Amino acid sequence: MREHLAEHSARHLADEQLICLVRGTPAGPGPRHHLDGCPGCRARLADWRAIGRATRDLESAPDLVPPSFDALLGARLTADPADAPAVAPVRPVTPARPPVPWRLAWQLARTEAALLPRLWAPLSALGLVAAALVAPLLGAERLGQRLFGAACVLLVLLASLVVASPRRDPRRELHFALPVSPGTVFLARLAVVLGADLALAVVCSALVGGPGWWPVVTDWLGEALLASSLALALAVRVAPAAGAAAGGTLWLLGVLTGPQGFLTSPVGAALGPLLSTTPWTVAASALLLAWATTAMRGHPSRT
């Protein structure tokens, strides 16, 4: 009898049996009867019950979302210095002057330009100059103008996707912890990239010839603004792939059936006013850019 009890106590319950006891699932009378005479299995059962409680607490815990930049530092940036608590200085300190706005903007733009891909500027310039030089050689004025316009829209669209690259999201950079809003960083990067491409495209439009400089600019400007702002807004709000797909689709429709397009279709009649350079197109582009900028106030996990 003693040998039977010793052999019974030497055999311990498996982890699967202990888990069944923790969950309350049927495990048969054998495991419960074994626990009465086995302190080791009772200790292991207590450990499994503690693991179960910790797992349930972890699953029921609310998701922790990092606070926005405005919640962290917004109040300090807008607070009146006179309301700050008085602190006895150890030694006289000369108060620092607030930075001049234009100087701060210039430093921020210069910093963002240094962080951008090195090949972006030379490739954009090469593409625009090549399109401007090839367009007059095609012979057909309409074909050359449309080719140059398509190149301008495409390069400006690609520049907007550079701004919205996940690797260069201002909300994931150190700027999120500094007294510079991620929205300000985003606008500085946008001004550098789109401003440089649009300025170079406007200058290269004078090389196309044909109907004149301004008609060439208006042929691509509205479409470029709308395609780039749409791609940028969706890339920031949804995903970079969604922005690239939307902007690329709009660019392709503009090349084929838009104003001065290669094909004539009912879709072209509807796209004509949308892709032309009008105050409505500029206003729609500005609203899309503002919508993208507001997403920079929060952490990317919430957008």
Side-chain angles (χ1 to χ4, degrees):
M1 183 65 179
R2 293 179 179 177
E3 295 177 358
H4 177 71
L5 292 176
E7 182 182 359
H8 178 72
S9 61
R11 293 196 303 265
H12 295 290
L13 297 178
D15 289 339
E16 291 78 6
Q17 293 174 301
L18 295 176
I19 293 174
C20 290
L21 293 174
V22 172
R23 293 178 177 176
T25 56
R32 296 186 181 276
H33 179 70
H34 175 83
L35 290 174
D36 296 337
C38 184
C41 288
R42 288 198 301 271
R44 292 170 56 211
L45 179 62
D47 293 339
W48 277 111
R49 284 175 176 169
I51 293 175
R53 287 192 298 268
T55 303
R56 289 191 296 270
D57 294 341
L58 181 61
E59 291 177 350
S60 61
D63 295 334
L64 298 179
V65 180
S68 64
F69 178 87
D70 295 335
L72 286 174
L73 299 175
R76 289 184 175 273
L77 296 179
T78 58
D80 189 355
D83 298 335
V87 179
V90 178
R91 57 183 180 178
V93 178
T94 303
R97 296 182 179 180
V100 182
W102 67 265
R103 183 177 299 174
L104 178 61
W106 167 250
Q107 292 176 352
L108 188 58
R110 187 176 59 183
T111 302
E112 291 304 313
L115 294 176
L116 292 171
R118 295 181 179 179
L119 293 178
W120 156 71
L123 289 180
S124 296
L126 181 61
L128 289 171
V129 172
L133 295 178
V134 171
L137 302 179
L138 296 179
E141 177 180 314
R142 177 175 174 270
L143 179 61
Q145 184 178 351
R146 184 64 265 183
L147 174 64
F148 176 75
C152 291
V153 175
L154 180 60
L155 290 174
V156 174
L157 173 61
L158 294 177
S160 67
L161 295 177
V162 170
V163 175
S165 172
R167 295 183 178 180
R168 297 173 177 84
D169 193 331
R171 296 166 294 178
R172 290 189 172 95
E173 295 178 357
L174 291 178
H175 298 290
F176 193 79
L178 296 177
V180 180
S181 170
T184 305
V185 178
F186 179 76
L187 288 177
R189 186 173 302 167
L190 185 66
V192 170
V193 175
L194 293 186
D197 271 10
L198 289 175
L200 185 58
V202 169
V203 172
C204 291
S205 297
L207 303 176
V208 178
W213 171 74
W214 181 244
V216 174
V217 172
T218 56
D219 179 58
W220 59 263
L221 181 59
E223 184 180 348
L225 291 176
L226 189 60
S228 59
S229 59
L230 177 62
L232 190 60
L234 292 181
V236 171
R237 287 283 184 172
V238 183
T249 301
L250 191 62
W251 170 78
L252 184 60
L253 291 176
V255 171
L256 296 178
T257 62
Q260 302 293 330
F262 295 112
L263 302 177
T264 302
S265 67
V267 179
L271 288 177
L274 183 64
L275 300 181
S276 300
T277 304
T278 62
W280 299 106
T281 304
V282 176
S285 303
L287 289 176
L288 287 172
L289 293 179
W291 187 48
T293 305
T294 56
M296 291 296 160
R297 293 184 176 182
H299 194 267
S301 61
R302 292 188 296 175
T303 57

